Amino acid sequence: MAQNELPGGDCSPGPGEIMVIGLGPGREEEMTPRARQALARAEVIVGYRTYIDLIASLVAGREVVVTGMTGEVARCREAVARAAAGARVAVISSGDPGVYGMAGLILEVLAGHPRGKEIAVSIIPGVTAATAAAATLGAPLMHDFAVISLSDRLTPWEVIARRLELAAAADFVLVLYNPRSHGRPDHLRRARDIVLQYRQPSTPVGVVRNAGREGEEAWIRDLATFLELPVDMVSTVIIGNSQTRVLDGRLVTPRGYRL
Amino acid sequence: MAQNELPGGDCSPGPGEIMVIGLGPGREEEMTPRARQALARAEVIVGYRTYIDLIASLVAGREVVVTGMTGEVARCREAVARAAAGARVAVISSGDPGVYGMAGLILEVLAGHPRGKEIAVSIIPGVTAATAAAATLGAPLMHDFAVISLSDRLTPWEVIARRLELAAAADFVLVLYNPRSHGRPDHLRRARDIVLQYRQPSTPVGVVRNAGREGEEAWIRDLATFLELPVDMVSTVIIGNSQTRVLDGRLVTPRGYRL
């Protein structure tokens, strides 16, 4: 701060700070105090519109830099430029910023910036969609699981399909992020068909829309029928392994304790 | 509460409630307000000693039921019995209770209890060790990942080995829970050898001890050398995929954005 108070001239400010913050699923009661404190300290908040809206009351009075969902690179460059100019910048992701969030891209952009090494950076974890959705459904992630994004915007479908196939063969519980969008209406059916080569049609499947935030909806179906559900980009899909069952309306993957 | 205040006789109290609470990695600033509020509402706290100690100041004045690390079934039966008798019971896990925690076993015990359906249950997610460790290391979980426990207490080693092999072949980033203990000093080397069939010896590996809690330590090495590190039961091991690299001392798995 002291540098900014010096009278003008050639004085360039010392580098600032970037805090990459996981907001958690969306409800304020599931955001960690560490994330909340970091937001309170920030001078500039950078994020996708939907996430900014989740925390509107917490960012009041500060400068907000909003970009569209596909403007990730521009958003990170802006955040790094602002930090290099001396600001304390919060970059926000829903869930955990290290799971398909902004943490990696920020570190990549920092590594390519001439003042990147001088900028303090902290990554503040949050409750990720996989475990928020699991908690709503019951306890489907009690055994080994694989997290796979069905988005082929940055990953060839062949890579995604191979991961689905090997993870299904290995009997991992599967957590699918970005399961369906207008640009890829058919990915979820293709994923289902791959998994059906290895699992029974009766394998339980849970779907949660808006996990842990306003408007949350959850369903439990099976591999044969879950495609009927209104799965979209704000949904998380959890496909059980060979041991997963439905107990009193909840999805449970036993760890193997003898009862 | 009213039932308990009635004079004795045959009156049996109405069923209580079970809250399965994720404490997060350990620091109070990373426990969600929802978890904290649930702890505050509980009349009885059930958990493993180490986890109770993490939150000693938050459970003062309430009854605490402590069992050893391997007493999971007894702990869950006690929690359910107490709830069936009318108490508001908190069952605590570090991290997220749905990831190798107590959530699944509680639901299994409830399903087998004559009053199980009458007991209200809520599962309160927390920041899990995988993402707490990832945040400390950088951003290794930006792409698809698999979470695998190396404990063979409840799972045959052959199942674990097959999952390691297929997940390695599928180029998942790997997150290893329970990586080493006195009972299985050699599992981590065997896991490493399986992964080495599919990945370069130079593949980056991160290890975090006590992620997100007092005494946290972190290292970045590679597949060839990480076994030298003091990995133990309170460590989380993250093995990079073919794209993971070390940038300015941080572990990063790029999602594939063009910079």
Side-chain angles (χ1 to χ4, degrees):
Chain A
M1 295 299 284
Q3 291 93 331
N4 291 329
E5 289 159 18
L6 291 175
D10 280 353
C11 168
S12 95
E17 177 182 353
I18 294 188
M19 303 172 286
V20 188
I21 303 176
L23 303 179
R27 285 192 286 250
E28 272 190 48
E29 62 172 1
E30 295 198 283
M31 183 187 308
T32 68
R34 186 177 170 208
R36 199 180 176 101
Q37 287 153 17
L39 273 177
R41 288 182 59 237
E43 295 163 323
V44 179
I45 321 272
V46 179
Y48 172 52
R49 174 89 264 163
T50 304
Y51 305 153
I52 297 278
D53 290 345
L54 284 175
I55 52 158
S57 66
L58 299 179
V59 301
R62 263 78 54 72
E63 182 185 357
V64 173
V65 177
V66 172
T67 60
M69 188 55 147
T70 56
E72 292 95 341
V73 174
R75 206 183 305 160
C76 288
R77 287 199 194 286
E78 176 71 11
V80 170
R82 298 299 294 270
R88 269 198 308 278
V89 179
V91 177
I92 61 170
S93 287
S94 71
D96 186 288
V99 178
Y100 309 116
M102 301 303 293
L105 191 52
I106 284 288
L107 296 179
E108 288 181 79
V109 171
L110 273 174
H113 191 279
R115 302 191 73 178
K117 285 193 175 129
E118 302 165 55
I119 297 172
V121 60
S122 52
I123 296 171
I124 299 173
V127 173
T128 188
T131 73
T136 295
L137 293 166
L141 305 186
M142 293 304 301
H143 217 300
D144 306 331
F145 62 95
V147 176
I148 303 175
S149 167
L150 296 194
S151 169
D152 64 353
R153 191 156 71 88
L154 300 168
T155 305
W157 176 255
E158 296 65 36
V159 171
I160 300 169
R162 179 171 159 79
R163 286 185 180 155
L164 287 164
E165 176 147 16
L166 293 174
D171 205 28
F172 282 105
V173 178
L174 304 177
V175 183
L176 308 183
Y177 279 60
N178 304 313
R180 191 144 62 183
S181 75
H182 292 302
R184 42 184 182 276
D186 203 39
H187 283 191
L188 190 60
R189 185 194 56 73
R190 288 155 73 182
R192 195 274 309 256
D193 291 347
I194 291 168
V195 178
L196 265 179
Q197 296 170 32
Y198 298 90
R199 298 200 189 158
Q200 297 297 321
S202 60
T203 302
V205 175
V207 172
V208 186
R209 281 193 78 230
N210 290 313
R213 67 176 73 157
E214 186 99 6
E216 179 180 270
E217 299 175 278
W219 300 267
I220 294 178
R221 292 286 189 282
D222 60 28
L223 265 182
T225 62
F226 83 97
L227 290 177
E228 301 162 3
L229 296 171
V231 178
D232 60 13
M233 279 305 275
V234 296
S235 303
T236 304
V237 175
I238 299 184
I239 300 177
N241 73 7
S242 63
Q243 304 304 306
T244 305
R245 61 204 61 178
V246 181
L247 295 177
D248 290 343
R250 298 194 188 90
L251 203 56
V252 179
T253 303
R255 256 191 103 180
Y257 294 104
R258 274 196 222 130
L259 292 179
Chain B
M1 294 299 283
Q3 292 94 331
N4 290 329
E5 289 159 17
L6 292 173
D10 280 353
C11 168
S12 95
E17 177 181 353
I18 295 190
M19 303 172 286
V20 188
I21 303 176
L23 302 179
R27 284 193 287 252
E28 272 190 46
E29 62 173 0
E30 296 197 283
M31 183 187 309
T32 68
R34 187 178 168 206
R36 198 181 177 103
Q37 286 152 16
L39 273 177
R41 286 182 60 236
E43 295 162 324
V44 179
I45 322 272
V46 178
Y48 172 53
R49 175 88 265 163
T50 304
Y51 304 153
I52 297 278
D53 290 346
L54 284 175
I55 53 159
S57 66
L58 299 179
V59 301
R62 261 78 54 73
E63 182 187 356
V64 172
V65 177
V66 171
T67 60
M69 187 54 146
T70 56
E72 292 94 342
V73 174
R75 206 183 304 159
C76 288
R77 287 199 193 287
E78 175 71 11
V80 170
R82 298 299 293 269
R88 269 198 308 276
V89 180
V91 177
I92 61 170
S93 288
S94 71
D96 185 288
V99 178
Y100 309 116
M102 301 303 291
L105 191 51
I106 284 288
L107 295 179
E108 288 181 80
V109 171
L110 273 175
H113 191 280
R115 301 191 74 179
K117 284 191 177 132
E118 301 166 56
I119 297 172
V121 60
S122 53
I123 296 171
I124 298 173
V127 173
T128 189
T131 74
T136 295
L137 293 166
L141 304 185
M142 294 304 301
H143 218 299
D144 306 329
F145 62 96
V147 175
I148 303 175
S149 167
L150 296 193
S151 169
D152 65 352
R153 190 155 72 88
L154 299 169
T155 305
W157 175 254
E158 296 66 35
V159 172
I160 299 169
R162 178 171 160 78
R163 286 184 181 157
L164 286 165
E165 176 148 14
L166 292 174
D171 205 28
F172 282 106
V173 178
L174 304 177
V175 184
L176 308 182
Y177 279 60
N178 305 313
R180 192 145 60 184
S181 75
H182 292 302
R184 42 182 182 278
D186 202 39
H187 283 191
L188 190 60
R189 184 193 57 72
R190 288 154 74 182
R192 194 274 310 256
D193 291 349
I194 290 168
V195 178
L196 266 179
Q197 295 170 32
Y198 298 90
R199 299 202 188 157
Q200 296 297 320
S202 60
T203 302
V205 175
V207 172
V208 186
R209 280 194 78 230
N210 290 313
R213 67 177 73 156
E214 187 99 4
E216 179 180 271
E217 299 176 278
W219 300 267
I220 294 178
R221 293 287 189 280
D222 60 28
L223 265 182
T225 62
F226 84 97
L227 290 176
E228 301 163 2
L229 296 171
V231 177
D232 61 13
M233 279 303 275
V234 296
S235 302
T236 304
V237 175
I238 299 183
I239 300 176
N241 73 6
S242 63
Q243 304 304 306
T244 305
R245 60 205 62 180
V246 181
L247 294 177
D248 291 343
R250 298 193 188 90
L251 204 55
V252 179
T253 304
R255 258 192 101 179
Y257 294 104
R258 275 197 220 129
L259 293 178

